[in-house]
């Protein structure tokens, strides 16, 4: 699944009206409500501060608000962008400073959706996968083969310990787990020791594993 890892702010102008999208990662309704109130205080003199949020791996919690705009022209279209791009654990507020020109129902919908899209482009969205932790231990003769297999399968190494043996800590994607374990077992002639750990969701950002 995709989550908002780092929020941002972006602005568009439509017929002299300013639309400022502010996004933040959230993990609960309380966090989302607090964030929305913070943005409203920051832009207290704006005409509208419309909002939407999506929480949970299966979109268990979704809310939206038009904040005074005509019903269905702001909050729901904003929420549709988040759901359409399949981004989870995210809250967004679009602040509107009225420019004196009426946009009409369709114009409002397009403007609010465009602002959210710009905000997402400015943010960092992280793909998270279901994975499982592993510790792989081998003698010094087998580490080269293991490193080759891990590199070939694009597995990020979390840590490597060198003692009387070599222990490599990794996270494997669940859908690749059996294949990689089979490769390592066959590649080392069954000499590698594999210890399965916890299952978790993880992502990779700028070459770093994010849990």
């Amino acid at each position: 699944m995709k989550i908002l890892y780092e929020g941002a702010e972006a602005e568009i102008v439509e017929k002299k009206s300013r639309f400022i999208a502010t996004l933040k990662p959230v993990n609960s309704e309380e966090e989302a409500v607090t964030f929305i109130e913070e943005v409203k205080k920051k832009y207290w003199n704006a005409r509208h501060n419309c909002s939407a949020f999506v929480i949970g791996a299966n979109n268990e919690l979704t809310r939206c608000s038009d904040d005074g705009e005509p019903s269905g022209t702001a909050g729901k279209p904003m929420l549709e962008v988040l759901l359409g791009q399949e981004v989870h654990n995210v809250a967004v507020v679009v602040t509107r400073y009225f420019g004196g020109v009426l946009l009409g129902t369709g114009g409002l919908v397009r403007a609010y959706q465009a602002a959210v899209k710009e905000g997402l482009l400015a943010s960092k969205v992280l793909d998270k996968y279901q994975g499982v932790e592993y510790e792989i231990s081998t003698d010094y003769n087998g580490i080269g083969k293991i490193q080759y297999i891990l590199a070939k399968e694009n597995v990020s190494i979390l840590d490597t310990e060198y003692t009387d043996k070599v222990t490599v800590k990794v996270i494997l994607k669940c859908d690749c787990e059996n294949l990689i374990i089979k490769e390592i077992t066959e590649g080392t002639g069954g000499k590698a020791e594999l210890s399965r750990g916890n299952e978790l969701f993880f992502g990779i950002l700028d070459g770093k594993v994010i849990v």
Side-chain angles (χ1 to χ4, degrees):
M1 68 174 184
K2 292 192 291 187
I3 66 162
L4 187 73
Y5 179 71
E6 185 176 295
E9 189 174 281
E11 179 178 335
I12 67 167
V13 177
E14 185 67 30
K15 294 183 179 179
K16 299 182 180 181
S17 280
R18 296 172 60 205
F19 294 84
I20 306 166
T22 309
L23 291 89
K24 184 178 181 179
V26 292
N27 293 300
S28 68
E29 184 172 11
E30 291 75 18
E31 284 185 28
V33 171
T34 298
F35 163 67
I36 293 166
E37 290 304 315
E38 288 173 352
V39 176
K40 285 184 174 182
K41 288 179 182 178
K42 179 180 178 180
Y43 295 112
W44 60 272
N45 60 340
R47 178 72 68 92
H48 306 282
N49 283 288
C50 305
S51 60
F53 59 86
V54 177
I55 296 171
N58 297 306
N59 305 329
E60 288 87 351
L61 184 60
T62 62
R63 296 283 189 277
C64 61
S65 168
D66 293 314
D67 194 42
E69 290 282 29
S71 178
T73 62
K76 185 177 179 181
M78 291 164 57
L79 181 61
E80 288 173 350
V81 172
L82 299 180
L83 294 173
Q85 299 205 16
E86 299 182 342
V87 182
H88 304 260
N89 296 354
V90 53
V92 58
V93 178
V94 175
T95 301
R96 182 189 182 192
Y97 284 95
F98 183 56
V101 180
L102 296 175
L103 300 182
T105 301
L108 286 173
V109 169
R110 288 189 294 272
Y112 277 102
Q113 289 190 325
V116 175
K117 290 175 182 177
E118 284 297 314
L120 285 171
L121 287 173
S123 303
K124 289 186 178 180
V125 176
L126 181 67
D127 285 307
K128 279 206 161 186
Y129 306 92
Q130 189 172 5
V132 57
E133 296 176 312
Y134 264 91
E135 285 192 4
I136 306 167
S137 298
T138 184
D139 57 26
Y140 281 80
N141 294 326
I143 188 59
K145 183 64 176 178
I146 291 173
Q147 289 173 332
Y148 168 78
I149 293 170
L150 295 177
K152 179 171 69 73
E153 299 295 342
N154 294 315
V155 176
S156 297
I157 296 176
L158 302 179
D159 191 25
T160 306
E161 296 178 359
Y162 296 91
T163 55
D164 57 324
K165 58 183 179 180
V166 185
T167 301
V168 179
K169 296 179 181 179
V170 298
I171 299 178
L172 305 181
K173 293 180 183 177
C174 285
D175 57 359
C176 301
E177 178 186 358
N178 292 336
L179 172 64
I180 295 173
I181 295 308
K182 181 181 178 182
E183 285 191 67
I184 291 174
T185 301
E186 292 177 351
T188 61
K191 293 181 180 179
E193 298 176 11
L194 298 109
S195 176
R196 195 178 194 272
N198 297 322
E199 293 189 7
L200 70 164
F201 281 95
F202 76 101
I204 299 175
L205 186 66
D206 299 329
K208 296 181 179 180
V209 175
I210 307 294
V211 177

mmCIF file of all heavy atoms in Angstrom, residues 15-18 46-48 96-103:
data_model
loop_
_atom_site.group_PDB
_atom_site.id
_atom_site.type_symbol
_atom_site.label_atom_id
_atom_site.label_comp_id
_atom_site.label_asym_id
_atom_site.label_seq_id
_atom_site.Cartn_x
_atom_site.Cartn_y
_atom_site.Cartn_z
ATOM 1 N N LYS A 15 -8.500 31.678 -11.519
ATOM 2 C CA LYS A 15 -9.318 32.891 -11.653
ATOM 3 C C LYS A 15 -9.181 33.781 -10.415
ATOM 4 O O LYS A 15 -10.177 34.188 -9.801
ATOM 5 C CB LYS A 15 -10.779 32.530 -11.912
ATOM 6 C CG LYS A 15 -11.001 31.848 -13.255
ATOM 7 C CD LYS A 15 -12.473 31.572 -13.514
ATOM 8 C CE LYS A 15 -12.665 30.916 -14.869
ATOM 9 N NZ LYS A 15 -14.088 30.595 -15.155
ATOM 10 N N LYS A 16 -7.947 34.040 -10.045
ATOM 11 C CA LYS A 16 -7.557 34.942 -8.953
ATOM 12 C C LYS A 16 -7.786 34.369 -7.555
ATOM 13 O O LYS A 16 -7.385 34.987 -6.564
ATOM 14 C CB LYS A 16 -8.261 36.300 -9.076
ATOM 15 C CG LYS A 16 -7.927 37.057 -10.350
ATOM 16 C CD LYS A 16 -8.618 38.422 -10.386
ATOM 17 C CE LYS A 16 -8.276 39.162 -11.672
ATOM 18 N NZ LYS A 16 -8.930 40.497 -11.718
ATOM 19 N N SER A 17 -8.442 33.218 -7.452
ATOM 20 C CA SER A 17 -8.571 32.558 -6.147
ATOM 21 C C SER A 17 -7.332 31.710 -5.890
ATOM 22 O O SER A 17 -6.875 30.977 -6.777
ATOM 23 C CB SER A 17 -9.819 31.667 -6.093
ATOM 24 O OG SER A 17 -10.979 32.422 -5.865
ATOM 25 N N ARG A 18 -6.793 31.806 -4.666
ATOM 26 C CA ARG A 18 -5.637 30.985 -4.272
ATOM 27 C C ARG A 18 -6.118 29.728 -3.560
ATOM 28 O O ARG A 18 -6.943 29.807 -2.653
ATOM 29 C CB ARG A 18 -4.706 31.768 -3.341
ATOM 30 C CG ARG A 18 -4.049 32.986 -3.959
ATOM 31 C CD ARG A 18 -3.321 33.771 -2.892
ATOM 32 N NE ARG A 18 -2.280 32.959 -2.248
ATOM 33 C CZ ARG A 18 -1.823 33.185 -1.014
ATOM 34 N NH1 ARG A 18 -2.350 34.167 -0.273
ATOM 35 N NH2 ARG A 18 -0.873 32.429 -0.517
ATOM 36 N N ALA A 46 -8.748 33.090 5.818
ATOM 37 C CA ALA A 46 -9.166 32.560 4.518
ATOM 38 C C ALA A 46 -10.680 32.369 4.481
ATOM 39 O O ALA A 46 -11.325 32.204 5.514
ATOM 40 C CB ALA A 46 -8.452 31.242 4.241
ATOM 41 N N ARG A 47 -11.232 32.347 3.268
ATOM 42 C CA ARG A 47 -12.671 32.152 3.112
ATOM 43 C C ARG A 47 -13.074 30.726 3.490
ATOM 44 O O ARG A 47 -14.103 30.508 4.128
ATOM 45 C CB ARG A 47 -13.072 32.454 1.656
ATOM 46 C CG ARG A 47 -14.546 32.256 1.329
ATOM 47 C CD ARG A 47 -15.433 33.327 1.940
ATOM 48 N NE ARG A 47 -15.216 34.612 1.333
ATOM 49 C CZ ARG A 47 -15.895 35.085 0.290
ATOM 50 N NH1 ARG A 47 -16.844 34.347 -0.266
ATOM 51 N NH2 ARG A 47 -15.655 36.301 -0.184
ATOM 52 N N HIS A 48 -12.261 29.744 3.091
ATOM 53 C CA HIS A 48 -12.579 28.342 3.352
ATOM 54 C C HIS A 48 -11.312 27.542 3.672
ATOM 55 O O HIS A 48 -10.251 27.820 3.125
ATOM 56 C CB HIS A 48 -13.265 27.692 2.141
ATOM 57 C CG HIS A 48 -14.467 28.428 1.651
ATOM 58 N ND1 HIS A 48 -15.697 28.352 2.265
ATOM 59 C CD2 HIS A 48 -14.625 29.269 0.597
ATOM 60 C CE1 HIS A 48 -16.565 29.101 1.606
ATOM 61 N NE2 HIS A 48 -15.934 29.673 0.590
ATOM 62 N N ARG A 96 -8.728 28.231 0.741
ATOM 63 C CA ARG A 96 -9.076 29.078 -0.396
ATOM 64 C C ARG A 96 -9.177 30.543 0.026
ATOM 65 O O ARG A 96 -9.919 30.887 0.944
ATOM 66 C CB ARG A 96 -10.404 28.647 -1.011
ATOM 67 C CG ARG A 96 -10.775 29.505 -2.250
ATOM 68 C CD ARG A 96 -12.169 29.224 -2.732
ATOM 69 N NE ARG A 96 -12.483 30.006 -3.935
ATOM 70 C CZ ARG A 96 -13.686 30.142 -4.459
ATOM 71 N NH1 ARG A 96 -14.716 29.542 -3.880
ATOM 72 N NH2 ARG A 96 -13.881 30.868 -5.537
ATOM 73 N N TYR A 97 -8.416 31.356 -0.674
ATOM 74 C CA TYR A 97 -8.564 32.808 -0.576
ATOM 75 C C TYR A 97 -9.318 33.260 -1.822
ATOM 76 O O TYR A 97 -8.806 33.161 -2.936
ATOM 77 C CB TYR A 97 -7.195 33.494 -0.487
ATOM 78 C CG TYR A 97 -6.551 33.378 0.875
ATOM 79 C CD1 TYR A 97 -5.633 32.367 1.154
ATOM 80 C CD2 TYR A 97 -6.861 34.283 1.887
ATOM 81 C CE1 TYR A 97 -5.047 32.256 2.401
ATOM 82 C CE2 TYR A 97 -6.276 34.182 3.143
ATOM 83 C CZ TYR A 97 -5.374 33.171 3.389
ATOM 84 O OH TYR A 97 -4.789 33.054 4.637
ATOM 85 N N PHE A 98 -10.539 33.737 -1.615
ATOM 86 C CA PHE A 98 -11.417 34.091 -2.728
ATOM 87 C C PHE A 98 -10.866 35.273 -3.509
ATOM 88 O O PHE A 98 -10.483 36.304 -2.941
ATOM 89 C CB PHE A 98 -12.810 34.417 -2.181
ATOM 90 C CG PHE A 98 -13.829 34.718 -3.238
ATOM 91 C CD1 PHE A 98 -14.088 33.807 -4.253
ATOM 92 C CD2 PHE A 98 -14.541 35.903 -3.209
ATOM 93 C CE1 PHE A 98 -15.044 34.073 -5.217
ATOM 94 C CE2 PHE A 98 -15.505 36.184 -4.170
ATOM 95 C CZ PHE A 98 -15.751 35.262 -5.177
ATOM 96 N N GLY A 99 -10.837 35.119 -4.843
ATOM 97 C CA GLY A 99 -10.265 36.163 -5.689
ATOM 98 C C GLY A 99 -11.275 37.073 -6.340
ATOM 99 O O GLY A 99 -10.921 37.921 -7.161
ATOM 100 N N GLY A 100 -12.560 36.898 -5.990
ATOM 101 C CA GLY A 100 -13.570 37.806 -6.511
ATOM 102 C C GLY A 100 -14.309 37.293 -7.727
ATOM 103 O O GLY A 100 -15.271 37.914 -8.182
ATOM 104 N N VAL A 101 -13.875 36.169 -8.282
ATOM 105 C CA VAL A 101 -14.535 35.598 -9.459
ATOM 106 C C VAL A 101 -15.144 34.251 -9.084
ATOM 107 O O VAL A 101 -14.448 33.363 -8.586
ATOM 108 C CB VAL A 101 -13.530 35.405 -10.620
ATOM 109 C CG1 VAL A 101 -14.238 34.802 -11.832
ATOM 110 C CG2 VAL A 101 -12.871 36.726 -10.985
ATOM 111 N N LEU A 102 -16.459 34.087 -9.333
ATOM 112 C CA LEU A 102 -17.116 32.816 -9.038
ATOM 113 C C LEU A 102 -16.653 31.747 -10.021
ATOM 114 O O LEU A 102 -16.558 31.996 -11.220
ATOM 115 C CB LEU A 102 -18.631 32.983 -9.111
ATOM 116 C CG LEU A 102 -19.255 33.938 -8.079
ATOM 117 C CD1 LEU A 102 -20.750 34.096 -8.341
ATOM 118 C CD2 LEU A 102 -19.014 33.429 -6.669
ATOM 119 N N LEU A 103 -16.380 30.553 -9.505
ATOM 120 C CA LEU A 103 -15.864 29.473 -10.344
ATOM 121 C C LEU A 103 -16.951 28.514 -10.815
ATOM 122 O O LEU A 103 -16.740 27.754 -11.757
ATOM 123 C CB LEU A 103 -14.790 28.675 -9.586
ATOM 124 C CG LEU A 103 -13.564 29.456 -9.123
ATOM 125 C CD1 LEU A 103 -12.579 28.512 -8.438
ATOM 126 C CD2 LEU A 103 -12.887 30.152 -10.290
#
